[in-house]
Amino acid sequence: CIATDVEMPNMDGIEITKKIKSSPKHHDIPVIILTSLGSEAHIQKGMEAGASAYLVKSKFERKDLLEAVQRVL
């Protein structure tokens, strides 16, 4: 399982998710996006990129991340 943010230098989390999901070797790896960007457009973009879960930092607690990891594994 990979956890990534959207806003990062060099390559954002959406691009990373797309690369992972387009790779025959890595496409089965679950990706959880954990970010401060919580608009419906951002969430949709992350899910369309292939994220297994999209968590907004301001709205989540540690248990939410643990539940997301358990759900995708």
Side-chain angles (χ1 to χ4, degrees), residues 6 10 17 19 22 26 33 35 38 45 52 56 61 64:
V6 173
N10 302 323
T17 302
K19 283 190 177 275
S22 69
H26 301 109
I33 296 177
T35 184
K45 193 172 182 181
S52 302
V56 179
E61 296 179 20
D64 298 324

Side-chain angles (χ1 to χ4, degrees), residues 8-25:
M8 298 186 304
N10 302 323
M11 184 183 303
D12 69 39
I14 302 296
E15 284 184 70
I16 289 171
T17 302
K18 287 179 182 177
K19 283 190 177 275
I20 291 167
K21 294 304 178 176
S22 69
S23 165
K25 186 175 180 180

Side-chain angles (χ1 to χ4, degrees), residues 33-60:
I33 296 177
L34 178 59
T35 184
S36 61
L37 303 174
S39 73
E40 288 299 318
H42 285 111
I43 295 169
Q44 183 176 355
K45 193 172 182 181
M47 298 308 289
E48 286 175 354
S52 302
Y54 190 105
L55 301 174
V56 179
K57 291 177 185 178
S58 65
K59 298 178 183 177
F60 98 106

